[in-house]
Amino acid sequence: KCYDTIESMCSAFLWSGSPTQTHKAKVSWEDLCLPKDEGGLGVRKFKDTARAFALKLIWRLYTKPASLWVSWVKHYLLRYNSFWDVRGEQNGSWIWRKLLKLRDVAYEFVRFDIGDGRTTSFWFDNWLGIGKLFNITGAVGTTYLGISRHAKVSDAARGNTWNIRGRRSRRYGELYGKILAAAAPSSTKGPDII
């Protein structure tokens, strides 16, 4: 509702020169917000801009680990859990709750290339290209594979080989195959890349 009020004021200003004097607009606000090559003025909607800024904050959680804000979020809001798994919509500010609501949107665009595996969550980050492994196995998967819910990819390997249990089990056979086909993390590969 706030965005609509601000955009209404912007539209009024565009047509009358005053944000409080509304005259009949000659062109709809929707048409003005179209790109220039589609006949609009290229004005961005406030709601879309706010969403882009919020997604940028999510991106910073993964790309700017030395940031003071990121350190604070990881310590006080995430409590060193994965952003994709954290519960607690009641904690934090309104912007934090907005970031949590945008997780599914952001997750579609985040991929990890494993280096040393120390920063990538085994269960919640998309490092195999098949999404959250936790969604495939559920909570019982942590027991079958012997990897804790908060483990990093490096915790699932020993040396340069995978160290997961239950390989002979018929359960999650396809998942085992994908994990074993992926290169195990190694300290010689450098840090993980998002």
Side-chain angles (χ1 to χ4, degrees), residues 13-25:
F13 180 79
L14 181 67
W15 296 115
S16 68
S18 170
T20 57
Q21 289 183 345
T22 56
H23 294 293
K24 184 75 176 155

Side-chain angles (χ1 to χ4, degrees), residues 52-157:
F53 285 143
L55 289 169
K56 178 72 173 184
L57 287 175
I58 293 172
W59 180 252
R60 283 179 170 264
L61 284 173
Y62 288 93
T63 60
K64 303 285 186 196
S67 160
L68 180 61
W69 178 78
V70 171
S71 297
W72 184 86
V73 165
K74 286 183 176 181
H75 183 75
Y76 289 103
L77 297 176
L78 294 177
R79 295 192 177 102
Y80 300 101
N81 293 316
S82 171
F83 174 70
W84 312 114
D85 182 44
V86 71
R87 296 176 194 97
E89 285 100 12
Q90 73 278 4
N91 296 338
S93 65
W94 65 270
I95 189 67
W96 178 247
R97 292 188 299 274
K98 182 171 183 72
L99 296 181
L100 293 179
K101 287 179 185 176
L102 286 172
R103 284 188 284 199
D104 291 337
V105 174
Y107 195 80
E108 295 178 31
F109 301 102
V110 178
R111 302 286 180 273
F112 291 84
D113 288 331
I114 299 301
D116 60 15
R118 292 184 192 155
T119 58
T120 303
S121 169
F122 182 86
W123 291 107
F124 299 102
D125 290 335
N126 189 5
W127 59 277
L128 276 180
I130 58 174
K132 298 176 191 173
L133 301 185
F134 193 83
N135 288 352
I136 296 169
T137 66
V140 73
T142 60
T143 303
Y144 275 99
L145 273 65
I147 300 168
S148 82
R149 182 181 182 114
H150 304 293
K152 302 295 183 192
V153 174
S154 61
D155 298 331

